[in-house]
Amino acid sequence: MRIDAAVLRELRAIVGAGHVRDADGDVAAYARDATPLFSAMPGAVVHPGSAEEVAAVLKLACAHGVPVVPRGAGSNLCAATVPLSGGIVLVLTRLDRILEISADELLAVVQPGVTSAELTDAAAAHGLLYAPDPGSRTVATVGGTIATCAGGLRGLKYGVTRNHVLGLEAVLPTGEIVRTGGRLWKDVAGYDLTRLLTGSEGTLGVITEATVALTPAPETTGTGLAYFATLADAGRAVARIIGSGIVPATLEFLDAKCVAAVEDYAGLGLRRDAGALLLFGDDGAAAPVADHLARMAEICLGEGATEAVVAGAAAESEALLAARRCALPALSRLGSVTILEDASVPRPRIAEMVARVDALAVRHGLTIATFGHAGDGNLHPTCVIDAGDTDAAERAHRAFADIFRAAMELGGTITGEHGVGAAKLPYLAERLGEDQMALLRRIKAAFDPAGILNPGKLGS
């Protein structure tokens, strides 16, 4: 959708001429996000510098029926920020200040353009921890992680992003600036609009400030690694670890294809004969962490692990964690296009789900490897294809449709942490049912009667 010249003049008057781009070469980079195979050109890219400027832009867009897609770093993996209807891409990265860190109240107040890593580092300087830990944390903005309710490696012990959002400042599509929640850990006055906006993927409002919960930083962290002949063996170990009363800070798995790819990529000394790798870790006081690591290693050996080792120092822990963090770049070397997806199933059905993924990869003639969060049942089936191979791209779409349905058949869901966006919208009604879809549309209409905010996504 091209933007009328008069609207462009008003946009420049609101945010400054240097913060509005409409030339094709300038806006092309915002036609896509980190999700492959999805692209749509915006008519303009606007970088506001305050909540008031966001409000003025939305009022203008509402008056002229111009679609607006809020965007942070564009690191999401569900095409949530692809401007399907053109219009304005509203980039929030100028709002990049950490406004406050309060050790007394265990909270931080930040603007949406602050990255997760920046907030984590700032909290650490005060002896505090910001627990959400998405894989793209070095580039992902806090606003974007709240909009998609991002997860990460620490999700089992600490929860996902929504568990750490105390309050929001947001601009509604009609231009009102509202504050939800606040600095309180207990506040049940009215509907929980903070939770509603968290995970709404930019369809209900534009987040311009967030108050997030912090926790005291753990005294120490530790990591261990176990190899298994099969994922089923690893799955039994996971069940026993959780059943023993340990809630690990880290409990991750890689299938055999991932192990081979990571070893080829990083040369970490991983065992290529393993059918699965389980990475386990904990944080907290030194003595309990050492006890938990030893017990988890013992449980893994009791469930058939061929080897289980515990890192003896922080550097060794980082080397073990590298095996998990290398999974995506390692797999990306196998093809020019990497499709990283997510689905969740109950923990006891992880091995069954990976077996279904492997069978579907064979059926559709594709390379699909799987890694993920064993502790919370969130899997990342990852398909690699060559750019320009349209037949492979179509087969990949069909394979992932089958994968999402397999997850639902096993009592799971189509997304555990990436979000719905445009990529999974075709499967949302199957997951929620028509009654819930109708409710989503009514909520969307209440917030956005003109339908301008991120159209074609949730609630549309």
Side-chain angles (χ1 to χ4, degrees), residues 91-104:
V91 183
L92 283 304
T93 51
R94 283 181 65 203
L95 298 171
D96 61 355
R97 293 166 54 215
I98 297 175
L99 302 174
E100 179 185 0
I101 292 181
S102 172
D104 292 339

Side-chain angles (χ1 to χ4, degrees), residues 110-131:
V110 301
Q111 293 184 315
V114 173
T115 68
S116 291
E118 288 168 343
L119 176 54
T120 298
D121 291 345
H126 291 76
L128 301 171
L129 173 69
Y130 179 61

